[in-house]
Amino acid sequence: MNVLKFGGTSVGSAKNINSVISILENYSTKDTVICVVSAVGGITDKLLKAGALAQQKDTSYQAQFNLIADIHQRILADLIPSENTSKAQHLSEKLEELKSLLDGIFLINEISPKTSDKLVSFGELLSSFIIAKTMQHRGLDCQRKNSQDLIVTNSNFTKAEVIFEQTNKNIQHYFSEAKQRITILPGFIAKSDHGDITTLGRGGSDFTAAIVAAALKVKTLEIWTDVSGMYTTNPKMVKQAFPIKHLSYQEAMELSHFGAKVLYPPTVQPVLNLNIPIFIKNTLDPDAFGTKISNDAHQNGNAVKGISNINNISLLTLQGNGMVGIPGFSKRLFETLAQEKINVIFITQASSEHSICFGIDINDADQAKQAIDLTFENEITLKKIDPIIVETNLSIVALIGDKMKSHQGISGKMFSTLGKNNINIRAIAQGASEKNISAVIAEKDVKKALNTLHERFFEVKTKQLNIYITGVGNVGERLVEQIKQQRKYLKEQLKISIKVVGLSNSRTMVFNESGLSLKDWKSHLATGEKATLQGFLERAQSYNLRNSIFVDVTANEAVSKLYAAYLKHSIAVVACNKIACSSDFKNYNELKQLSRQYNAPFLFETNVGAGLPVIDTLNNLIASGDKVVSIQAVLSGSLNFVFNNFNESTKFHDVVKQAQKEGYTEPDPRIDLSGIDVARKILILARESGTEMNLSDIENVSFLTKANLNSDQVDDFYQTLIDDEAHFQNLYASATSNNCQLKYVASFNEGKAKVGLQEIPEGHPFYNLEGKDNIVMFYTKRYPEQPMIIKGAGAGADVTASGLFADIIRVGNK
């Protein structure tokens, strides 16, 4: 004999019911089958809504009834041809009974728990009728038996308690005489010992199936739903979640209690002592293994079996100095909650006895506060304790596994993983059995927490990075293409998975929480929504994804002013924009502090030397205990390109134009040629060396004319270069006569910095610096005479993009 239960989604449509019938027909060829069915998906909620509307004297309850009737009539019509009017007539009669009940609720303006049970019982009665009649119509040996004739309960309406002695006798007697191959039972419903309709509580159809399985001592109980078993965590929130093949009864109950919807916790109780295995199976994929729940659960190599959560939690705290050393506070507190029939989901108490913290459903919070404040009114008046503190919009996340106790460091890994993603923990609870470690967090952080913990305990080989890029022009486009090209390599070799979630240029922005397609990202961006800096920030904040990185590929000051907001939401910042790091020292220092405080890396390697590891090398020198004495550098690839290509046979204007065209200058070349860009770079190096300095402290000796410097627009600037060609030719002639090369040099020595054009003699390390190359020489205590030298391409879209990409990978490796 087989006992199978099918949930609301499994019987939610004619298509799904056909799958159910196919499964039952297949099973019945081998053995007799008992099938317990839930109401059609969503019908129980619709019944309750109709009842509530009727109670409120709202005539729209009739529309709700019509919706319920239409759903069932359409399903029956799809399953059985229209000429079978007798079955349609029977369904109509049952629906008329429901309509009469709702009309009665409307007239008396009241719905009691007893009436509520009668109302919601129609869901299972209707679904079981439709399925049984369909199977009979198709010639299957099937009978429907009303569970109310078998299961006897007390009169605790809406969540009745089963009287097992009588119930077991009824079940055993009926099935000892039943001859049919298939029996359909409505789940969830029963009758009291006084003959009134009762229900077993939400999820009670699972319970019905377990009661029958235990009474008949069957070999297995199968729960059929719309997923292939119980998952490592909620697959709707964590795409990487996967079915757990084996669970113990205790693990299954813990997962179910903490939000796993495919199994109702009391289901386990009737079969637990009899060691009857439970299989969770998928109606739409019947060949999938699913999950087996038994006493001999196999370990999957992981001490943590699953991660679950409960939302809509309120955290209440009773605290005060008057509690310390005084017995009875806990007893009075929980007696008060019990009298109010408020279920406590979570409890923790400080060892100092100064406070007791507990979690309940948010809908019970106001009632609990009023009752507790009344119970402790005297102590509150005497200021021995504080009025109860209520916190809302919280959730509980829990790690679950029988073997966690024998594995050290599980809780430490859990809390450090949450902390690294700036997920604040409000309270912690762990039983002595260590099968469950629970933490209360903000509800807005649940998705991030589940993904972060799942990655830590089930996907430790791969780290997911979620990227937001603003500024997809020349450099930004190359960065996206490099990410696209290297995705496979990063996942296979570095165990880093990169997902680009948001892209923006100056006009439009586009997002996809699951990741944008990088094959056609340009077309998506072209049709995206209007771009705003604040809107881009708010979308990144609202997604609240783990390991998020904001990449700034602009030279926009307004963008740089948002870095702090990103960091405060634990979103790492990677920037080639130099403005933030060369802004007022107070702002620079604050960004560094926010990065540490919120565990959000702030990386800007491309600020100096594009793709060259200049800042990284400097940081490693400082971290290892070395100290910078002086820095000599050529830091502008654009200026080096300009002066390497400028001579007596070229025009300065033309060379600058060529540099801009090839992407070696900023869109406004005045930023490069004025020396401000180089001044920012040497300032950043000085600051990273440990010196407090501002841009105004740097001596900038400009080689430009007053006309160049005073030009209002870029076009005007280019015209002044033409007008002042003789000035630039004189600079070149002077260097040539001295057998020197013109180089724009930045220096930092003894706390002072300077930038300017210099004539570099032959033999100097800067003399043969070609093309757009940069060179940096660090003189330190360890390198006092022969400096640490870093040399290479210091400008260009590809190398700058590669520097940004390297910073993204650094975030992934942290």
Side-chain angles (χ1 to χ4, degrees):
M1 183 174 287
N2 297 292
V3 177
L4 286 69
K5 177 263 176 178
F6 290 88
T9 53
S10 296
V11 298
S13 67
K15 178 183 177 181
N16 288 0
I17 290 174
N18 280 325
S19 297
V20 170
I21 293 173
S22 177
I23 292 167
L24 294 175
E25 184 177 7
N26 181 51
Y27 271 63
S28 68
T29 61
K30 303 168 187 175
D31 203 348
T32 55
V33 180
I34 301 170
C35 172
V36 178
V37 296
S38 295
V40 170
I43 288 298
T44 302
D45 287 335
K46 289 179 172 62
L47 288 165
L48 290 170
K49 182 178 180 181
L53 291 170
Q55 181 190 17
Q56 296 163 13
K57 287 287 187 180
D58 187 336
T59 57
S60 62
Y61 81 90
Q62 295 173 349
Q64 191 70 16
F65 164 77
N66 290 335
L67 175 61
I68 295 168
D70 183 61
I71 289 171
H72 289 92
Q73 288 165 346
R74 280 190 290 108
I75 290 176
L76 182 62
D78 289 341
L79 291 169
I80 302 177
S82 57
E83 61 265 18
N84 286 274
T85 55
S86 62
K87 297 175 180 63
Q89 179 62 34
H90 184 85
L91 177 62
S92 297
E93 290 172 1
K94 296 300 294 182
L95 289 170
E96 278 302 314
E97 289 181 30
L98 171 59
K99 179 65 164 56
S100 297
L101 178 60
L102 289 169
D103 290 341
I105 294 170
F106 179 82
L107 289 172
I108 64 173
N109 195 29
E110 183 182 346
I111 182 169
S112 66
K114 181 177 178 180
T115 304
S116 178
D117 271 2
K118 186 174 182 179
L119 175 65
V120 295
S121 71
F122 277 90
E124 276 71 15
L125 290 172
L126 292 171
S127 66
S128 60
F129 166 78
I130 291 172
I131 293 169
K133 292 302 179 183
T134 301
M135 295 182 76
Q136 291 168 359
H137 176 76
R138 296 179 184 180
L140 296 173
D141 184 12
C142 173
Q143 293 294 324
R144 173 178 176 267
K145 177 63 176 175
N146 193 335
S147 302
Q148 295 167 333
D149 299 334
L150 303 177
I151 299 176
V152 183
T153 69
N154 63 11
S155 297
N156 185 16
F157 297 104
T158 74
K159 197 172 183 181
E161 296 171 9
V162 176
I163 302 173
F164 279 98
E165 183 177 358
Q166 185 60 48
T167 296
N168 290 341
K169 286 181 181 179
N170 292 344
I171 293 170
Q172 291 161 4
H173 178 265
Y174 174 78
F175 285 102
S176 68
E177 297 184 349
K179 304 300 182 184
Q180 66 271 13
R181 298 293 291 177
I182 303 171
T183 304
I184 304 295
L185 296 176
F188 178 56
I189 60 175
K191 274 188 181 178
S192 72
D193 48 0
H194 297 298
D196 298 312
I197 294 174
T198 58
T199 60
L200 303 178
R202 296 303 295 267
S205 291
D206 289 354
F207 197 16
T208 301
I211 292 167
V212 173
L216 299 175
K217 295 182 173 59
V218 299
K219 290 183 179 180
T220 62
L221 166 63
E222 297 184 7
I223 307 293
W224 290 75
T225 181
D226 60 346
V227 291
S228 298
M230 298 185 76
Y231 278 63
T232 46
T233 192
N234 186 344
K236 292 180 180 178
M237 290 192 175
V238 181
K239 287 191 173 182
Q240 293 76 20
F242 54 88
I244 309 166
K245 285 193 173 183
H246 299 278
L247 285 170
S248 71
Y249 291 115
Q250 295 299 324
E251 288 170 335
M253 282 198 293
E254 290 282 1
L255 282 169
S256 300
H257 175 68
F258 277 86
K261 304 298 184 185
V262 297
L263 185 69
Y264 182 55
T267 298
V268 180
Q269 294 300 338
V271 297
L272 179 61
N273 293 334
L274 296 175
N275 194 22
I276 297 173
I278 303 172
F279 281 88
I280 310 296
K281 303 280 285 181
N282 188 345
T283 306
L284 304 180
D285 186 10
D287 293 330
F289 181 83
T291 298
K292 181 182 179 182
I293 303 167
S294 65
N295 277 333
D296 59 343
H298 298 282
Q299 287 299 306
N300 59 2
N302 197 336
V304 178
K305 283 293 192 72
I307 308 163
S308 203
N309 70 288
I310 306 176
N311 294 333
N312 300 316
I313 295 295
S314 282
L315 194 65
L316 281 70
T317 304
L318 184 68
Q319 65 181 21
N321 294 326
M323 295 171 59
V324 179
I326 306 299
F329 271 96
S330 297
K331 178 176 180 293
R332 292 168 61 195
L333 171 63
F334 294 115
E335 276 184 349
T336 300
L337 294 171
Q339 289 168 3
E340 298 293 322
K341 294 185 178 181
I342 294 173
N343 182 45
V344 177
I345 302 169
F346 174 102
I347 304 171
T348 185
Q349 181 173 11
S351 58
S352 64
E353 299 182 36
H354 179 265
S355 67
I356 302 172
C357 189
F358 59 95
I360 61 175
D361 188 283
I362 194 170
N363 296 316
D364 296 327
D366 291 340
Q367 180 185 354
K369 176 174 173 55
Q370 292 175 12
I372 295 168
D373 283 346
L374 183 61
T375 297
F376 294 98
E377 184 177 20
N378 184 51
E379 287 86 351
I380 293 172
T381 301
L382 296 174
K383 299 190 181 301
K384 290 184 178 181
I385 64 172
D386 302 328
I388 196 81
I389 300 170
V390 179
E391 299 173 72
T392 57
N393 300 319
L394 300 173
S395 294
I396 299 173
V397 292
L399 294 188
I400 291 159
D402 281 344
K403 301 298 182 181
M404 291 196 304
K405 186 173 185 178
S406 59
H407 286 72
Q408 295 180 346
I410 297 288
S411 57
K413 290 176 183 177
M414 176 184 182
F415 302 137
S416 64
T417 299
L418 294 174
K420 285 177 181 177
N421 280 272
N422 198 36
I423 298 169
N424 186 40
I425 299 173
R426 288 291 303 112
I428 299 167
Q430 180 175 3
S433 68
E434 295 187 36
K435 292 180 180 179
N436 180 313
I437 306 172
S438 302
V440 179
I441 64 172
E443 193 166 319
K444 67 180 179 64
D445 289 329
V446 166
K447 185 173 182 178
K448 182 196 283 189
L450 293 179
N451 277 275
T452 298
L453 291 172
H454 196 272
E455 182 179 80
R456 180 65 182 85
F457 289 101
F458 295 101
E459 312 163 53
V460 291
K461 293 182 179 179
T462 304
K463 186 173 186 178
Q464 174 79 58
L465 303 182
N466 297 290
I467 313 296
Y468 302 85
I469 304 173
T470 188
V472 282
N474 195 16
V475 176
E477 180 179 340
R478 306 294 176 87
L479 174 61
V480 173
E481 291 303 316
Q482 288 178 14
I483 291 173
K484 175 183 172 183
Q485 175 186 325
Q486 291 299 106
R487 263 179 163 174
K488 184 177 179 182
Y489 173 85
L490 292 176
K491 194 165 187 178
E492 291 178 354
Q493 301 299 321
L494 301 184
K495 307 305 179 187
I496 293 174
S497 177
I498 293 182
K499 182 171 69 177
V500 178
V501 180
L503 290 171
S504 177
N505 55 29
S506 59
R507 300 175 301 281
T508 58
M509 59 185 184
V510 63
F511 300 90
N512 187 324
E513 190 174 358
S514 300
L516 293 163
S517 169
L518 298 190
K519 291 181 180 179
D520 49 5
W521 64 271
K522 289 184 180 179
S523 61
H524 288 302
L525 183 60
T527 57
E529 59 191 279
K530 183 179 178 181
T532 66
L533 299 181
Q534 189 63 33
F536 199 82
L537 167 66
E538 289 172 357
R539 190 69 65 90
Q541 291 173 348
S542 67
Y543 284 157
N544 199 22
L545 299 173
R546 70 197 189 283
N547 306 322
S548 291
I549 306 172
F550 171 67
V551 184
D552 178 9
V553 201
T554 74
N556 190 314
E557 183 176 3
V559 176
S560 71
K561 288 182 177 179
L562 293 174
Y563 291 177
Y566 281 102
L567 294 171
K568 287 177 181 178
H569 281 81
S570 292
I571 299 174
V573 174
V574 169
C576 65
N577 187 341
K578 307 173 191 69
I579 294 175
C581 289
S582 59
S583 63
D584 185 80
F585 183 82
K586 183 179 179 182
N587 181 60
Y588 161 84
N589 196 46
E590 181 188 8
L591 293 175
K592 288 277 193 171
Q593 290 177 348
L594 289 173
S595 173
R596 291 188 291 269
Q597 180 181 350
Y598 292 96
N599 196 44
F602 174 38
L603 301 178
F604 41 90
E605 182 66 72
T606 51
N607 277 196
V608 182
L612 296 176
V614 177
I615 294 175
D616 188 53
T617 301
L618 176 57
N619 288 337
N620 289 336
L621 288 171
I622 301 299
S624 65
D626 203 354
K627 185 176 181 181
V628 172
V629 176
S630 68
I631 302 172
Q632 298 291 319
V634 173
L635 295 174
S636 175
S638 54
L639 283 172
N640 202 44
F641 176 88
V642 167
F643 285 110
N644 279 335
N645 288 276
F646 176 57
N647 54 49
E648 71 277 359
S649 62
T650 62
K651 291 184 178 180
F652 194 74
H653 164 276
D654 296 341
V655 176
V656 174
K657 271 285 188 182
Q658 182 185 353
Q660 185 184 36
K661 182 179 180 181
E662 295 189 21
Y664 298 146
T665 72
E666 300 288 350
D668 184 348
R670 291 174 297 178
I671 297 173
D672 298 277
L673 271 66
S674 68
I676 187 67
D677 188 60
V678 176
R680 285 172 175 159
K681 292 176 180 178
I682 194 65
L683 172 63
I684 292 167
L685 293 182
R687 287 175 170 178
E688 292 294 293
S689 301
T691 300
E692 183 175 337
M693 179 181 286
N694 280 313
L695 195 60
S696 58
D697 299 324
I698 297 174
E699 183 182 357
N700 186 350
V701 182
S702 179
F703 67 89
L704 295 176
T705 67
K706 288 184 178 180
N708 302 153
L709 293 170
N710 293 332
S711 57
D712 293 328
Q713 303 293 332
V714 173
D715 290 342
D716 296 337
F717 173 69
Y718 274 117
Q719 183 59 48
T720 64
L721 295 184
I722 295 172
D723 297 340
D724 294 337
E725 176 65 22
H727 166 73
F728 300 112
Q729 287 294 341
N730 289 336
L731 293 174
Y732 176 78
S734 174
T736 302
S737 65
N738 293 321
N739 196 27
C740 292
Q741 293 277 359
L742 287 173
K743 303 294 178 186
Y744 201 89
V745 178
S747 62
F748 171 71
N749 189 31
E750 296 182 352
K752 295 182 179 181
K754 179 180 178 180
V755 298
L757 191 65
Q758 294 184 19
E759 295 182 359
I760 302 298
E762 190 173 4
H764 191 282
F766 295 172
Y767 184 84
N768 290 316
L769 196 64
E770 297 179 350
K772 58 185 181 297
D773 285 359
N774 280 192
I775 185 171
V776 181
M777 302 192 301
F778 291 119
Y779 290 89
T780 71
K781 284 188 175 182
R782 293 178 189 156
Y783 301 91
E785 296 177 0
Q786 295 296 324
M788 166 79 77
I789 297 177
I790 302 166
K791 179 181 176 182
D798 282 323
V799 293
T800 304
S802 69
L804 290 166
F805 199 1
D807 273 349
I808 291 171
I809 294 170
R810 285 189 185 96
V811 175
N813 287 330
K814 283 185 179 292

